[in-house]
Amino acid sequence: MPPKVIGTVTRYTGTEHGYLTGYKVRVVAVFKPRNDSAYLTDDDEIARAGGVTGADRFEVQPRIREEGRFSFVTSDPRAVDLEAFAHLAHGTDR
C-alpha cells in the first residue's frame, strides 16, 4: 500500500506563498514537473509515478482558521515547503 499523500493535513512553512505561512493545508493533488507536468490525485497514481520528490509541487487547500474548514481556493507550494514533506529537501525519499 502506498504512503498516504492525498488528504494529508500539514503546515505550510515556506515563504514563496506568504499568505499561507503558518496555516494548515490539505493536499489535494501532486504536480510532477519532471513527468510531463502530471497532475495526480490518487495515492496509487503517485506511487506509480515514483512517489513524492523534492521537485514536486502540491495543490493544497488552506484551512480557514475562523471557521475550521478548508477553503475551496487552492495554491501550489513546493513539496519541501510543507512540514510533512520537508525531509525531501535533504534528498531523503518518502
Side-chain angles (χ1 to χ4, degrees), residues 38-49:
Y39 179 83
L40 309 172
T41 59
D42 176 85
D43 289 329
D44 289 327
E45 290 177 334
I46 296 165
R48 284 192 296 276

Side-chain angles (χ1 to χ4, degrees), residues 2-6 8 50-53 58 84-85 87-88 91-94:
K4 181 174 170 44
V5 176
I6 303 301
T8 296
V52 176
T53 71
F58 290 160
F85 300 93
H87 65 279
L88 296 173
T92 306
D93 289 334
R94 178 180 170 123

Side-chain angles (χ1 to χ4, degrees), residues 12 14-17 53-58 60 76-82 85 89:
Y12 177 76
T15 58
E16 181 181 34
H17 299 285
T53 71
D56 295 339
R57 285 190 170 269
F58 290 160
V60 299
D76 65 339
R78 301 177 318 155
V80 297
D81 288 339
L82 300 179
F85 300 93

Side-chain angles (χ1 to χ4, degrees), residues 23-56:
Y23 275 84
K24 286 189 177 180
V25 297
R26 178 173 50 197
V27 176
V28 296
V30 174
F31 297 106
K32 300 207 64 71
R34 293 183 182 168
N35 188 3
D36 297 324
S37 298
Y39 179 83
L40 309 172
T41 59
D42 176 85
D43 289 329
D44 289 327
E45 290 177 334
I46 296 165
R48 284 192 296 276
V52 176
T53 71
D56 295 339

